[in-house]
């Protein structure tokens, strides 16, 4: 973290805000993956219906992400970031009060609007404030906050399901989701609007065109990055949404056992985020995507398709988490560098969240197909296909390592 000491106060405050926002968003989002089996048990729903609950949040996050990006190009990154965090926090808490499948479905959809917007706006904010030589490392390291939030969710899950009845334990996980709202106070006090944004949009009154990302000179970038993000996120969500259920129902692990295995995967994820951040700055954004997509495909196949012992699965969990998460480290900086300032949040919000929206279909399809081909086979099929898509689109995009932002 020597690079962190070289950041100025404004850069450090922005890093802290983005890291904290992403970590708490991860907690709020990932608690659902831990309560799937409890919801199935208590409400008598099918795997396919549970998959829909995972999918709906991601689908609506695509809408929220693009919408937040458009608004951030018009009204400012910091203001819209605060709104998305508050929205996401409130909806998460309300999920804990849901009484049936229909209420849960609606609240998960509303939660998705804030979830998509937070990453889209926070990533652009980071990319515009952090200088070029540290952008990849900083934005990539912020991604590691996801592993922190995921790890916290695993620990709280293990604790709550060990001391509370199931019908109260799952609700308590969502009620803790109020915590991200406190981050808004820090952002209001310490995080400024990027100078490049104020110069291009506020001073010149250059209002962003919603459809500017589909203009002749930009549409190729928009389409390719949307497909790229589809592969990255489709593979990730096909794996992580169903991992706790896979470990509990197919590997027959206890609550404590499931939490222990997931903590190994999460530790690998954290290391993957950090390694990917350095790799993206040192060797390039494209090299990072190619390396980690290949590693992810191989690890998913080994983890789900081979008759591994529990000990072997525990060991392999680390490289699985490492690969599936490391691929994200270069994405934020890469998208920021591919778009000009006036449509940067719009383009980044659309591409990343289009990928999230299409990738959102993967958990639902995995749940549906698991009824005929088994959960392990369904996870492996969709995840592997997703990483092949990453490879194909990466080869068609330019390298942006070390380049200054386009004004």
């Amino acid at each position: 973290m020597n690079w962190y000491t070289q950041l100025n106060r404004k850069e450090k405050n922005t890093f802290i805000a983005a890291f904290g926002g992403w970590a708490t968003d991860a907690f709020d989002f990932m608690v659902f993956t831990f309560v799937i089996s409890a919801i199935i048990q208590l409400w008598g729903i099918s795997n396919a219906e549970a998959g829909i609950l995972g999918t709906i949040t991601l689908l609506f996050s695509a809408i929220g992400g693009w919408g937040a990006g458009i608004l951030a190009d018009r009204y400012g990154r910091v203001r819209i970031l605060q709104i998305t965090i508050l929205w996401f926090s409130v909806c998460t808490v309300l999920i804990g009060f849901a009484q049936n499948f229909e209420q849960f479905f609606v609240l998960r959809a509303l939660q998705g609007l804030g979830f998509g917007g937070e990453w889209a706006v926070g990533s652009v904010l980071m990319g515009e404030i952090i200088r070029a030589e540290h952008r990849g490392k900083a934005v990539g390291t912020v991604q590691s906050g996801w592993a922190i939030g995921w790890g916290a969710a695993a620990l709280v899950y293990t604790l709550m399901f060990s001391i509370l009845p199931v019908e109260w334990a799952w609700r308590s996980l969502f009620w803790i989701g109020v915590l991200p709202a406190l981050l808004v106070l820090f952002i209001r006090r310490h995080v400024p609007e990027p100078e490049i944004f104020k110069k291009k949009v506020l001073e010149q009154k250059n209002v962003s065109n919603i459809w500017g990302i589909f203009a002749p000179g930009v549409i190729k970038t928009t389409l390719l990055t949307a497909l790229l993000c589809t592969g990255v996120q489709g593979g990730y969500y096909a794996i992580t949404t169903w991992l706790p259920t896979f470990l509990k129902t197919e590997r027959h692990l206890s609550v404590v056992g499931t939490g222990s295995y997931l903590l190994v995967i999460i530790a690998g994820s954290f290391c993957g985020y950090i390694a990917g951040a350095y790799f993206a700055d040192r060797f390039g954004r494209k090299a990072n995507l190619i390396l980690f997509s290949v590693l992810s495909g191989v690890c998913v196949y080994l983890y789900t398709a081979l008759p591994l012992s529990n000990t072997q699965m525990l060991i392999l969990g680390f490289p699985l988490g490492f690969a599936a998460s490391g691929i994200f480290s270069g994405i934020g900086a890469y998208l920021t560098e591919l778009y000009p300032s006036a449509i940067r949040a719009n383009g980044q919000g659309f591409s990343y969240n289009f990928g999230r929206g299409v990738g959102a279909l993967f958990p639902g399809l995995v749940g549906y197909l698991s009824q005929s081909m088994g959960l392990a086979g369904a996870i492996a099929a969709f995840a592997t296909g997703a990483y092949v898509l990453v490879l194909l689109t990466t080869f068609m995009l330019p390298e942006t390592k070390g380049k200054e932002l386009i004004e």
Side-chain angles (χ1 to χ4, degrees):
M1 295 290 289
N2 286 339
W3 59 269
Y4 181 78
T5 63
Q6 300 174 30
L7 301 182
N8 59 40
R9 176 52 55 189
K10 180 172 65 175
E11 291 174 317
K12 287 180 178 178
N13 286 341
T14 305
F15 175 86
I16 292 169
F19 187 94
W22 197 229
T24 49
D25 273 13
F27 179 93
D28 284 2
F29 180 82
M30 294 304 291
V31 292
F32 171 72
T33 68
F34 292 96
V35 305
I36 290 177
S37 58
I39 296 298
I40 291 174
Q41 172 192 336
L42 292 171
W43 289 353
I45 64 176
S46 66
N47 277 5
E49 289 173 314
I52 290 172
L53 291 176
T55 293
I56 192 63
T57 301
L58 299 176
L59 283 174
F60 270 73
S61 75
I63 301 171
W66 190 21
I70 293 169
L71 293 173
D73 277 340
R74 288 174 176 255
Y75 302 110
R77 283 62 163 122
V78 175
R79 180 185 304 175
I80 302 303
L81 178 62
Q82 294 174 64
I83 293 172
T84 60
I85 292 174
L86 285 173
W87 180 282
F88 186 69
S89 301
V90 170
C91 290
T92 301
V93 172
L94 291 177
I95 291 174
F97 293 97
Q99 299 299 309
N100 52 47
F101 176 86
E102 291 74 18
Q103 292 177 11
F104 205 117
F105 179 89
V106 171
L107 290 170
R108 287 280 293 175
L110 294 175
Q111 183 194 44
L113 295 176
F115 177 61
E118 195 280 333
W119 188 91
V121 181
S123 182
V124 171
L125 179 65
M126 280 282 295
E128 289 184 335
I129 287 184
I130 304 296
R131 69 196 80 165
E133 62 265 32
H134 298 312
R135 187 179 299 126
K137 293 186 288 291
V139 177
T141 302
V142 162
Q143 291 281 168
S144 71
W146 184 271
I148 300 297
W150 189 11
L155 291 172
V156 174
Y157 156 77
T158 302
L159 174 63
M160 293 305 181
F161 274 78
S162 297
I163 65 175
L164 294 176
V166 173
E167 59 269 23
W168 287 106
W170 77 264
R171 295 182 185 279
S172 68
L173 295 183
F174 288 104
W175 291 335
I176 297 173
V178 71
L179 294 177
L182 301 176
L183 185 65
V184 172
L185 301 176
F186 177 85
I187 295 173
R188 286 179 62 86
R189 188 177 182 88
H190 299 290
V191 181
E193 287 290 349
E195 291 300 323
I196 191 172
F197 170 77
K198 291 192 290 185
K199 175 183 176 183
K200 191 71 176 180
V201 181
L202 298 182
E203 293 179 2
Q204 298 182 10
K205 307 298 181 184
N206 182 12
V207 178
S208 172
N209 176 9
I210 294 176
W211 306 110
I213 59 174
F214 301 109
V218 186
I219 188 169
K220 179 181 177 182
T221 296
T222 300
L223 294 177
L224 287 176
T225 52
L227 290 174
L228 173 69
C229 292
T230 297
V232 170
Q233 298 190 87
Y236 183 82
Y237 288 119
I239 300 166
T240 57
T241 299
W242 288 101
L243 260 181
T245 302
F246 170 73
L247 292 172
K248 188 171 183 179
T249 62
E250 298 209 1
R251 302 300 301 191
H252 308 294
L253 298 177
S254 65
V255 168
V256 174
T258 298
S260 299
Y261 275 64
L262 286 172
L263 284 175
V264 173
I265 295 172
I266 293 165
S269 295
F270 180 79
C271 294
Y273 283 127
I274 300 298
Y278 279 89
F279 197 94
D281 256 1
R282 185 173 180 82
F283 299 105
R285 314 322 188 198
K286 295 180 65 171
N288 180 75
L289 290 166
I290 292 169
L291 172 65
F292 282 99
S293 60
V294 171
L295 288 176
S296 296
V298 171
C299 288
V300 171
Y301 175 79
L302 294 176
Y303 199 81
T304 58
L306 297 185
L308 302 174
S309 68
N310 285 350
T311 300
Q312 290 171 328
M313 287 192 66
L314 183 66
I315 296 171
L316 186 58
F318 188 91
L320 174 65
F322 183 91
S325 297
I327 195 171
F328 281 89
S329 293
I331 287 288
Y334 196 27
L335 295 180
T336 297
E337 292 159 351
L338 285 169
Y339 286 99
S341 181
I343 58 170
R344 180 168 293 123
N346 182 356
Q348 188 160 337
F350 174 83
S351 298
Y352 191 84
N353 288 286
F354 176 90
R356 180 180 279 160
V358 177
L361 299 175
F362 286 38
L365 292 171
V366 167
Y368 178 77
L369 290 180
S370 68
Q371 299 175 83
S372 59
M373 62 187 299
L375 188 55
I379 292 172
F382 280 98
T384 302
Y387 292 120
V388 170
L389 180 61
V390 174
L391 286 175
L392 294 176
T393 51
T394 298
F395 286 120
M396 292 186 280
L397 284 165
E399 179 58 70
T400 60
K401 172 181 175 289
K403 293 184 178 180
E404 294 295 332
L405 297 181
I406 306 169
E407 293 191 12

